[in-house]
Amino acid sequence: MESVINCAAYCEGRKTGNVELDNISEVLKQSDRFVWIGLHAPEKEMLSKMQLEFGLHELAIEDALRAHQRPKLEAYGDTLFIVLRTAQLKGPRIDFGETHFFLGLNFIINVRHGSSIPYTDVRTRCESTPHLLKKGPGFALYAVMDAIVDQYFPVIDKLEEELGSLEEKIFHERFRRETTAKIYKLKRKLLEVKRAVSPLIDICNRLMRFDLKLIDEETRPYFRDVYDHAIRINEMVDNSRELLSTALEANLSMASISQSEVAKRFAGWAALIGVPTMIAGIYGMNFNVMPELQWRWGYPVVLTVTAVLCAVLYFRFKKSGWL
Amino acid sequence: MESVINCAAYCEGRKTGNVELDNISEVLKQSDRFVWIGLHAPEKEMLSKMQLEFGLHELAIEDALRAHQRPKLEAYGDTLFIVLRTAQLKGPRIDFGETHFFLGLNFIINVRHGSSIPYTDVRTRCESTPHLLKKGPGFALYAVMDAIVDQYFPVIDKLEEELGSLEEKIFHERFRRETTAKIYKLKRKLLEVKRAVSPLIDICNRLMRFDLKLIDEETRPYFRDVYDHAIRINEMVDNSRELLSTALEANLSMASISQSEVAKRFAGWAALIGVPTMIAGIYGMNFNVMPELQWRWGYPVVLTVTAVLCAVLYFRFKKSGWL
Amino acid sequence: MESVINCAAYCEGRKTGNVELDNISEVLKQSDRFVWIGLHAPEKEMLSKMQLEFGLHELAIEDALRAHQRPKLEAYGDTLFIVLRTAQLKGPRIDFGETHFFLGLNFIINVRHGSSIPYTDVRTRCESTPHLLKKGPGFALYAVMDAIVDQYFPVIDKLEEELGSLEEKIFHERFRRETTAKIYKLKRKLLEVKRAVSPLIDICNRLMRFDLKLIDEETRPYFRDVYDHAIRINEMVDNSRELLSTALEANLSMASISQSEVAKRFAGWAALIGVPTMIAGIYGMNFNVMPELQWRWGYPVVLTVTAVLCAVLYFRFKKSGWL
Amino acid sequence: MESVINCAAYCEGRKTGNVELDNISEVLKQSDRFVWIGLHAPEKEMLSKMQLEFGLHELAIEDALRAHQRPKLEAYGDTLFIVLRTAQLKGPRIDFGETHFFLGLNFIINVRHGSSIPYTDVRTRCESTPHLLKKGPGFALYAVMDAIVDQYFPVIDKLEEELGSLEEKIFHERFRRETTAKIYKLKRKLLEVKRAVSPLIDICNRLMRFDLKLIDEETRPYFRDVYDHAIRINEMVDNSRELLSTALEANLSMASISQSEVAKRFAGWAALIGVPTMIAGIYGMNFNVMPELQWRWGYPVVLTVTAVLCAVLYFRFKKSGWL
Amino acid sequence: MESVINCAAYCEGRKTGNVELDNISEVLKQSDRFVWIGLHAPEKEMLSKMQLEFGLHELAIEDALRAHQRPKLEAYGDTLFIVLRTAQLKGPRIDFGETHFFLGLNFIINVRHGSSIPYTDVRTRCESTPHLLKKGPGFALYAVMDAIVDQYFPVIDKLEEELGSLEEKIFHERFRRETTAKIYKLKRKLLEVKRAVSPLIDICNRLMRFDLKLIDEETRPYFRDVYDHAIRINEMVDNSRELLSTALEANLSMASISQSEVAKRFAGWAALIGVPTMIAGIYGMNFNVMPELQWRWGYPVVLTVTAVLCAVLYFRFKKSGWL
């Protein structure tokens, strides 16, 4: 059974040793112990075993099996079932995964699906602060949640950076077609992160206030810390979304302005070509009596006059921004 | 009376047999029984019979007859009246229907109107899990609601797919006229689905919290499951709506940008045609004294100069994106 | 006193006869009676009489006199003062009116202002169901409110139809100037209906929950029915508003796209005219030595070449959508 | 001390006479009296005197001195401090001012700053209805608030009128530059009025529900009346704002459409000039062998053909809206 | 240890003298004393010392060390941890900083990070009003918060001024490219200020209502004052944001309108050049029989006719706004 990453018992915040799945009930008979089990993409049989062992609710088991849930917290009698979405940068892409938790009085099970950091580091860090871990499985829950939420900060930083480079493009470059597509794609990503993060606020809020004995009084401020981070990520996403909307509108403005500039420059040059053409046309007429044509200096004079006219136009256009 | 699809009594979650409509009161004298009746587009007489049999409220009966209600939950004394909208994909179209429920302590009646899957499968599935169905008519309600809500997932998937193909069109193709119309139509569909689904959240919420004995304590987590699905569908719709708004704006941006590009290319080619025309015009003038005209190589020189000029312009325009 | 349309006493839901205004106090001494008075645009004296007779509050009387109120429900001691806005289609126009109610334990007064259906039909319908009307003046209030709210459905249908024909215009026709103006006007109408209907939701809500004895327990579900209709109308208006916003944006997109198409076609035709002009210009030059001019077939060859060139351009433009 | 506009004592709703500031404490010893003081832009000393006399809170005094507050209601122990913004039309401008109130059990002080109507009329009107004024200083507060709120109706009417004339301009005139600027300015004004009025709703709401003895039970319906007006003004402003947003978008649409029309007309005329120029160019070529040139009727035939061509083009363009 | 700016004990609102960090516990044994410590960017050791001395919570200490928090108020048992963001104008830039507070029954610690005014002036002002400062450390908290919030007013004034100058640019100038970029940047700044200020409202609200003995009953109105300022700043920011959105749209409208004007002027001048060119072209044709060419006054007549035609066009264009 490879899906079991880790299964250990803790007493007074100290690891008492790894536990075989089949010995769990034995271990839990001691009232001061709790078990922390880490699963990764478990199969149906494994989850059924857990269900039997800890009396988990059928609906929660189904959700844990299927994954693709939205973040949520559900209380089933004495146990909590929590779903969180995890995010990780994989080059330019954001990979989303899911982690589920079953939390009881003397056990915590975390179930990883898809892309996410492994939680062995988190566990090690917890084990190094037994005075905190002894607060029970609620603290283990906090530790993993904290690690999950902290993974969002680099994601947001990346998205804010993308927004920054889009701003650069909108206001200083000219390939607007790709810029528009990029704005749209960034919007898509922001919405996805938003959907993953915003339910967290409510989840933490409920963990902070939970009137069950599952979350120790002293552990609650820690969930407030996660709550605080979730709110900050949420705010950053909202901020970026609002800026992005403005950027999209600004992009349209810029397109419209640059269109106007094209029209102006075109008009200017059209005049500079049209005027000599017109003058040349006039002296191309075949009237028998056109005195200018007989003049000795007619040709150079007309050429000069035309050139001067064009120069005057050129400078006036230049000055008024039409060229 | 064809509108009766099914009418059976259940005891301890097991079907005790089909019941004649006229025997219902007889059956319900046994306190551990409940009846589950399935109707399809019933006529007035049939509903009046039900009203008499189960003491349903006149206003609920009227609603059940007329259909075209919005999803809602109404308590009339000891019975609940629930209206849900059903949706089904019929090729490119979404067909909406309605299902109404009357729920009492020992009966449940579901009334189908318009397009929807039949609920015989649901019933069969329920009958195969008597340990759940014995929770009473509330569980039967859950089973049908769950089936209805699950029908929305393929609908949403279809709409998200349509959005995806619209994105493709906006950013990579050029027939914008139809694209705009399609964006608008997709918006219309999304709003329709939204109106059908969003009241579900409130309905499930009330079923989860209902302080009546109608919904068994143990059945409530099941409604939370439906609630969770309703929220997910709702979120997907909202997400698509927000993306669609952005897509509409992006479409406008693209139209504006492509207009700008048209203007640029036109300006470029106009210059490439205008310059030779101007030069030709000059040498078409009829001045007596125009030395160039007498030169042996005048014509080829002017042609060459013009060609070179045009080539220079061509490459400069090409480089700066005006062609 | 023409403003009194109707004034009758009811006992056990049955009309006991019309009552003279001056005999009202006499009639109301019998505890099982209530009076239902219908007024139309009453003058100050009439309202003062009512005020005296039923102990109505000065501020309510002022409002009832002035009209042009927003829909509201106000409790003054033991009496309720309710203001509703009525709407009626008059050809292409929506005519708004107002109906006010004074509701006490044993009386109901409805005061019509401006355009609205008369309520004699409603009264007749009530009198034909004495088992309902015996629930007291609260039921009479319901009956009139229901009639008022039902008047909004044809109005909304009309507005939705207008939206439909606007969509047709936006996506298939070309006189955009009028379309824009019509979109704006439809928005105006929708906002007006919204303002008339949306306070109704709150009013019905309060009537459903009212902890006074004015509204009988059994009458409350009827107000829930009105509430349901008000919500439906409201939703339809909101839906249309959101679609209208999208339609306005789509209209802008279409204008921008059609502008782009104009520019393309213009550019195409300009090239088709510009190229022959340029070639003709070249052979219009007066160089002494231009061998082509002396050729026997120079003229037809140049004409043919030009024609072929234009044909090639024409087909390329046609293919790439520039013509 | 010119800042004292008025200072009178009232008993049973009747004015017992003007009071010297220094005699106030004497007067207030009689429990059935209250004092109503009207100040205008008072100096620090005057307010300090009031503070001492009535035990007002230092922070309220500071606010009353500085003005430029937002509308608010603050309870300091037994006294209320209320700030309202007043508005007045001064030709095309809206002049804003402020009025502050200190309300105690047996006193009311109103402090005017900036532009506002004087409240002597209000006071006279109150004195003419002693049966109402005897309800205490709360009624005096109502009377002044009512006068202040009523001043907003002409302001709103003016703004709605401006909106109407903007609509006219958008859909029927062509100087769009000024129209856009005017739309923006109207938005500015609407926001300013909104900021002045919207806190009023909350203030009235609190006065209606205040569980202190300051506001007499019987006076509360009067504050509901002010509340109702505030809501109406607020709704009118919101309505105008939403219409204005739509108007701004419609204006953009119109600009885009008129641009499209300019382009079409230009294209049409360019063709009408370009075609003869092209034909003339062809017959201006200098080929030796161009049979048409020798024909007797060559010139008129070509002229006629050209004219007919132009006429055909003209009518086709006219029909298809390009001219 | 340079990070300690100030550390003094107060008794009855009067400073009893500066205190060495190590003597604090000694001083606090006297129940009527409180200590006010001012830190600036303290190091870990210093904060650990504080934690030990006052029993602060580990999580709060971590936050105080790291800075870059969002404004918040957190209660840890008997102490409050408050984070505020400070803002200062540095030329055209807004510099943000942070100030954290630890508030206990007999101590207050303020920790400054980044740009902010020093709080020595605030302290001096407090010491000059012992009757207020004797209300305890809660009053000291108010004094510093008030100073922080007041720093936002010049910031907002600056932003409103920038908005004003943008309006000027949008409606009266023509360099739209920079204007668009500036609108975007102003939006960015407004969002940043908004994020710094809006949580303040909730924080003050909680301080006003706090049911702990930390905030003295008499100090609460002072927090209401801060609350009021926070709301005002918030309103000003929201106002500017809404105006800015409108300004961005207006800017787009103006760009579109000016594009339309460019097109019109171009069309006008193109006609004025095209018409003479066409006429000249016609008389440049080489037909043998073109009677006009032989006429004595042919040339001047054609020139004059052309000039008159152009003049007529010029004035018609001028009148109809095409030039």
Side-chain angles (χ1 to χ4, degrees), chain A residues 115-136:
Chain A
S115 170
S116 95
I117 48 159
Y119 303 131
T120 31
D121 288 3
V122 177
R123 199 187 272 255
T124 318
R125 234 175 304 129
C126 282
E127 288 167 359
S128 69
T129 54
H131 66 288
L132 293 173
L133 190 53
K134 81 172 175 203
K135 287 169 185 168

Side-chain angles (χ1 to χ4, degrees), chain B residues 47-278:
Chain B
L47 284 172
S48 302
K49 202 165 181 175
M50 292 294 143
Q51 181 177 12
L52 222 78
E53 185 70 62
F54 299 106
L56 308 175
H57 196 282
E58 168 196 27
L59 285 168
I61 290 294
E62 256 175 53
D63 282 354
L65 192 67
R66 260 192 279 160
H68 297 297
Q69 306 297 318
R70 55 184 297 277
K72 61 180 175 183
L73 179 157
E74 293 180 337
Y76 292 97
D78 271 352
T79 59
L80 286 183
F81 176 59
I82 297 170
V83 175
L84 297 187
R85 304 211 69 199
T86 58
Q88 259 185 312
L89 277 179
K90 282 271 166 70
R93 270 182 36 235
I94 308 173
D95 268 20
F96 288 94
E98 262 175 59
T99 297
H100 304 183
F101 298 90
F102 293 93
L103 183 75
L105 258 178
N106 52 9
F107 67 90
I108 173 166
I109 308 171
N110 57 257
V111 186
R112 282 200 295 127
H113 286 281
S115 171
S116 96
I117 48 159
Y119 302 132
T120 31
D121 287 3
V122 179
R123 198 187 273 253
T124 318
R125 234 177 304 131
C126 281
E127 288 167 0
S128 68
T129 54
H131 66 287
L132 293 172
L133 191 51
K134 81 173 176 202
K135 287 169 185 166
F139 189 81
L141 173 66
Y142 152 73
V144 181
M145 276 182 73
D146 195 45
I148 288 172
V149 171
D150 279 355
Q151 288 288 313
Y152 278 96
F153 284 107
V155 172
I156 299 289
D157 287 349
K158 180 78 195 313
L159 296 179
E160 290 192 337
E161 202 180 278
E162 277 182 33
L163 177 59
S165 88
L166 273 177
E167 286 170 13
E168 201 59 26
K169 282 212 183 68
I170 291 168
F171 296 115
H172 300 299
E173 295 180 20
R174 65 160 200 251
F175 300 105
R176 308 217 168 284
R177 202 169 269 276
E178 293 77 17
T179 309
T180 308
K182 272 184 189 152
I183 291 175
Y184 183 83
K185 271 174 211 153
L186 184 51
K187 177 90 181 212
R188 240 193 192 289
K189 285 189 208 162
L190 281 170
L191 282 178
E192 216 166 351
V193 173
K194 172 91 186 167
R195 269 166 82 189
V197 174
S198 68
L200 260 170
I201 294 171
D202 184 48
I203 292 174
C204 293
N205 221 325
R206 287 175 63 194
L207 286 169
M208 274 157 62
R209 289 167 212 280
F210 230 82
D211 36 16
L212 277 176
K213 45 198 164 171
L214 272 177
I215 306 296
D216 189 78
E217 180 84 42
E218 278 177 38
T219 317
R220 287 179 201 181
Y222 291 88
F223 285 108
R224 188 167 59 193
D225 203 52
V226 182
Y227 169 82
D228 194 52
H229 292 186
I231 283 199
R232 239 159 79 203
I233 292 167
N234 221 29
E235 263 187 359
M236 286 157 99
V237 173
D238 284 341
N239 204 35
S240 293
R241 271 168 74 198
E242 187 158 353
L243 281 175
L244 202 61
S245 301
T246 311
L248 187 52
E249 279 185 68
N251 191 39
L252 179 57
S253 265
M254 294 310 264
S256 186
I257 290 166
S258 89
Q259 204 177 327
S260 190
E261 285 169 359
V262 167
K264 275 182 184 171
R265 297 189 66 182
F266 172 55
W269 285 109
L272 285 184
I273 291 176
V275 164
T277 306
M278 178 184 72

Side-chain angles (χ1 to χ4, degrees), chain E residues 61-313:
Chain E
I61 290 294
E62 257 176 51
D63 281 354
L65 192 65
R66 260 191 276 161
H68 296 298
Q69 306 297 318
R70 57 185 296 276
K72 62 180 174 184
L73 177 156
E74 293 179 339
Y76 291 97
D78 272 353
T79 58
L80 286 184
F81 175 59
I82 297 169
V83 175
L84 297 187
R85 304 211 69 198
T86 57
Q88 259 186 311
L89 277 179
K90 282 273 166 67
R93 269 184 35 238
I94 308 173
D95 268 19
F96 288 95
E98 261 176 60
T99 296
H100 304 184
F101 298 90
F102 293 94
L103 183 76
L105 258 178
N106 52 10
F107 67 90
I108 174 167
I109 309 171
N110 57 258
V111 185
R112 281 200 296 128
H113 286 281
S115 170
S116 95
I117 48 158
Y119 304 131
T120 31
D121 287 3
V122 179
R123 198 186 272 255
T124 318
R125 234 177 303 132
C126 281
E127 288 167 359
S128 69
T129 54
H131 66 288
L132 293 172
L133 191 51
K134 82 172 175 201
K135 287 170 186 169
F139 190 83
L141 173 66
Y142 152 72
V144 181
M145 275 181 74
D146 193 46
I148 288 172
V149 171
D150 280 354
Q151 288 289 311
Y152 278 96
F153 284 107
V155 172
I156 299 290
D157 287 348
K158 180 76 193 314
L159 296 179
E160 291 192 336
E161 201 181 279
E162 278 183 32
L163 176 59
S165 89
L166 273 176
E167 286 170 14
E168 199 61 24
K169 281 211 182 69
I170 291 168
F171 297 114
H172 301 298
E173 294 181 19
R174 66 158 202 252
F175 299 106
R176 308 220 167 281
R177 202 168 271 276
E178 294 77 16
T179 309
T180 308
K182 271 182 191 155
I183 290 175
Y184 184 83
K185 269 175 213 152
L186 183 50
K187 177 90 180 212
R188 240 192 191 293
K189 284 189 208 161
L190 280 170
L191 281 178
E192 217 167 348
V193 172
K194 172 93 185 169
R195 269 167 82 189
V197 173
S198 67
L200 260 170
I201 294 170
D202 185 48
I203 293 174
C204 293
N205 221 326
R206 287 175 64 194
L207 286 169
M208 273 156 64
R209 289 167 212 279
F210 229 83
D211 37 16
L212 276 175
K213 43 200 166 169
L214 274 176
I215 306 297
D216 189 78
E217 180 85 42
E218 277 176 39
T219 318
R220 286 179 202 182
Y222 291 89
F223 285 108
R224 189 167 58 192
D225 202 52
V226 182
Y227 169 82
D228 194 52
H229 291 186
I231 283 199
R232 239 159 78 204
I233 292 167
N234 221 29
E235 264 187 357
M236 285 156 100
V237 173
D238 283 341
N239 204 35
S240 293
R241 271 168 75 198
E242 188 159 352
L243 281 174
L244 203 59
S245 300
T246 310
L248 187 51
E249 279 186 67
N251 192 39
L252 179 56
S253 265
M254 295 309 265
S256 187
I257 291 166
S258 87
Q259 203 176 326
S260 189
E261 286 168 358
V262 167
K264 277 182 183 170
R265 297 189 66 182
F266 171 56
W269 285 110
L272 285 184
I273 290 176
V275 164
T277 306
M278 177 184 72
I279 292 172
I282 287 168
Y283 291 103
M285 292 194 292
N286 297 318
F287 286 98
N288 278 357
V289 187
M290 286 179 71
E292 299 97 315
L293 298 181
Q294 267 71 44
W295 293 350
R296 179 70 187 90
W297 299 105
Y299 178 52
V301 163
V302 163
L303 275 195
T304 314
V305 165
T306 307
V308 167
L309 204 62
C310 286
V312 169
L313 280 175

